[in-house]
Amino acid sequence: MRIRYSILNILYSSGAKSKLYALSQGDIIEALVADGESWCEKTIYIKLREMVSEGVILEGLKRGNAKTFYIARKGIDWMKEVQGDNDEEGDASNNE
């Protein structure tokens, strides 16, 4: 789940929110490395395919031979839901 959130966060924070403004798998891997995360290319590829099939991310316009990806509304909603779960857990621990 962490890798899924990381990929969605990179797409969102990079402004990859439309077919025209999308990131390639290579761009995503570079951003993950810059954030201090290390995942093999195959793992990223599999996660991207899963998220496309779920409709969390969508394919953008090709850049050369590379497919590009951008975050869908469903992905943004999922991120907000996950962040909300963490906020609620933090609030619950503060009330004890």
Side-chain angles (χ1 to χ4, degrees):
M1 187 151 109
R2 178 176 170 83
I3 187 170
R4 178 186 181 107
Y5 182 83
S6 295
I7 291 170
L8 290 173
N9 190 39
I10 286 167
L11 292 173
Y12 184 81
S13 62
S14 298
K17 299 176 186 174
S18 71
K19 285 187 177 196
L20 187 58
Y21 298 104
L23 298 178
S24 69
Q25 179 178 339
D27 296 333
I28 293 167
I29 291 170
E30 286 178 20
L32 287 169
V33 169
D35 285 346
E37 295 190 43
S38 176
W39 302 92
C40 72
E41 287 183 33
K42 187 173 182 176
T43 300
I44 301 298
Y45 175 81
I46 291 169
K47 281 297 172 190
L48 290 172
R49 293 286 130 229
E50 286 176 6
M51 291 192 289
V52 166
S53 69
E54 295 169 10
V56 177
I57 63 174
L58 301 169
E59 288 188 13
L61 300 175
K62 279 194 167 190
R63 190 179 320 143
N65 289 335
K67 290 182 179 180
T68 61
F69 306 92
Y70 65 98
I71 191 167
R73 181 80 194 120
K74 187 174 180 180
I76 295 170
D77 292 342
W78 184 85
M79 284 180 60
K80 287 179 181 178
E81 181 182 317
V82 169
Q83 289 172 341
D85 289 347
N86 289 338
D87 291 342
E88 291 170 9
E89 289 173 9
D91 291 343
S93 64
N94 290 335
N95 292 333
E96 292 178 2

